[in-house]
Amino acid sequence: MTLDSTIVRSASTFGPMQTDWETRIDMERLRTERLARTRAAMAAADVDFLIELRAENARYSTGIKRLYWPTIQLGGGPLAVLAAEGDSAIWIIDPDYAAKNIPWVPDDRFHTPYQMDLTQDVNSFVDDLYHYFGSKIEKARIAVDIWSPSMFDVLTKRLPGATFVNGQELMIGARQIKTADEIKALKIAYAISEAGMQAAVDILKPGVRECELVGECFRAMWDLGTETTQCSEVVNSGPGAHPYRRFHSDRIVQHGDLVNMDFGGCFSGYFGDFCRAFVCGDRPTPAQVDLLKRAHELQYEQLNALGPGVSPADICAKLGRRTLGHGIGISAFEGPHLRAQDDYELKPGMTFSVTSPPIGEEGVGGVHLEDEIVITETGIDLYSTYPYTLG
């Protein structure tokens, strides 16, 4: 099976540095357009204030770089409140640094953070809302992108005249169509991810541990300026490749093992994420070759079926799949997704990681493939350039 003519292949045409000799990513335009889309979504939902506790939403709307916590952190990284009109307010671990170095937010709008799963902290947060926004909050329509039990209790009791609505649905709608600068950032993030993949492939030989492959991938991506990684990264080998295991271990990779590597870096908040399969130290067996060919066919079917004007639900029904992949952008896993229950129309500018269903056989191994795409006016832009291979 081959790729349809509606699929174009592209790659980032420049590096991550800013230059004066060509137009790369216009960061000011990136921030301005994202804020405009956020405010347009607020206006469409008749929202007066938007509380953004999800770090990716705060980054999208305000351009404030966040800490990437290994666990759920409600409040430290940062928390932003946007008003339909006027200045935002930001609660962040480093308010003094932010006030000095972030000129698009007034320096008196930064505050030390609260832990928004603690009742006393949420009460202090409400006091701050009165300080920044006054009595307008009392009867406002307020969107919240994630709740803690303490937030629900305190906000509804302290602001009984306010109406609270789903801010995450609002932000998914605002973020789903990527701007030209966002797509450029995603392609650089993929290039960083590809470099990490190649660094791991270069040391893939019998005796290397799965964790060492991840470490070498990390080294290459950090060298290129990644902000973080899209997860703790997946390497599974030998028996760990079927059934598919979505993390790495200290297993020693052995001669002839089938090895899956799923890596992703991050550039300016935007994520890469792709997966390939390899054989360690030998030519693949006929059974392994057959397994990869089947994975190729499954992935080609999905890529060929995607394009503007169709729905993920219809494609899943036609191909007999539960999922085709997930959205990707300023979050490594963001809506809308490509699942059987996702009955919406694909539109130009949407971006996805397309994932083949993991397949495998006992004693042979398992294969999982993943590619990144942009929906275009005529089909898709497949910007994952790394080849499919077994060895």
Side-chain angles (χ1 to χ4, degrees), residues 75-318:
L79 185 158
V81 177
L82 274 69
E85 297 181 356
D87 294 320
S88 304
I90 312 291
W91 289 257
I92 190 171
I93 285 177
D94 302 308
D96 294 336
Y97 169 86
K100 182 179 179 180
N101 292 282
I102 299 172
W104 56 89
V105 177
D107 57 15
D108 63 348
R109 309 293 284 194
F110 293 98
H111 196 286
T112 52
Y114 299 113
Q115 292 299 313
M116 299 296 284
D117 47 4
L118 301 178
T119 298
Q120 64 180 17
D121 282 33
V122 181
N123 269 304
S124 296
F125 170 71
V126 176
D127 292 339
D128 288 352
L129 291 180
Y130 273 103
H131 170 74
Y132 287 121
F133 304 110
S135 60
K136 291 185 293 185
I137 64 170
E138 293 179 343
K139 296 187 180 300
R141 185 172 168 86
I142 302 173
V144 184
D145 69 358
I146 190 170
W147 290 91
S148 70
S150 293
M151 287 176 65
F152 183 82
D153 289 343
V154 173
L155 288 172
T156 55
K157 289 176 182 176
R158 295 269 317 259
L159 301 172
T163 300
F164 293 95
V165 298
N166 188 335
Q168 179 62 359
E169 285 189 352
L170 182 154
M171 287 306 300
I172 288 173
R175 288 162 41 194
Q176 66 179 335
I177 305 295
K178 306 302 189 288
T179 70
D181 291 307
E182 288 184 283
I183 292 171
K184 290 177 181 179
L186 283 164
K187 289 183 177 181
I188 294 178
Y190 169 78
I192 291 171
S193 306
E194 185 180 79
M197 178 75 74
Q198 187 60 51
V201 171
D202 289 344
I203 66 165
L204 178 57
K205 60 183 179 180
V208 72
R209 291 175 296 166
E210 292 177 356
C211 54
E212 291 178 275
L213 295 171
V214 171
E216 191 62 17
C217 169
F218 277 15
R219 181 202 59 76
M221 294 196 300
W222 292 124
D223 283 351
L224 291 172
T226 190
E227 288 188 10
T228 186
T229 61
Q230 56 92 7
C231 66
S232 58
E233 309 294 38
V234 177
V235 173
N236 56 60
S237 63
H242 179 70
Y244 198 76
R245 165 168 49 79
R246 294 185 187 274
F247 55 87
H248 64 271
S249 75
D250 61 345
R251 182 181 183 272
I252 300 171
V253 182
Q254 296 177 246
H255 188 86
D257 277 348
L258 191 54
V259 182
N260 290 275
M261 294 191 280
D262 186 346
F263 295 145
C266 178
F267 175 76
S268 290
Y270 290 86
F271 284 88
D273 182 12
F274 80 110
C275 184
R276 293 293 184 265
F278 308 89
V279 166
C280 177
D282 198 5
R283 298 171 66 95
T285 66
Q288 288 171 332
V289 170
D290 180 65
L291 199 61
L292 184 63
K293 287 181 177 178
R294 285 161 51 198
H296 288 176
E297 291 173 357
L298 291 171
Q299 187 72 332
Y300 285 156
E301 283 181 346
Q302 297 179 160
L303 293 170
N304 287 334
L306 290 163
V310 296
S311 79
D314 288 344
I315 299 173
C316 285
K318 179 181 177 181

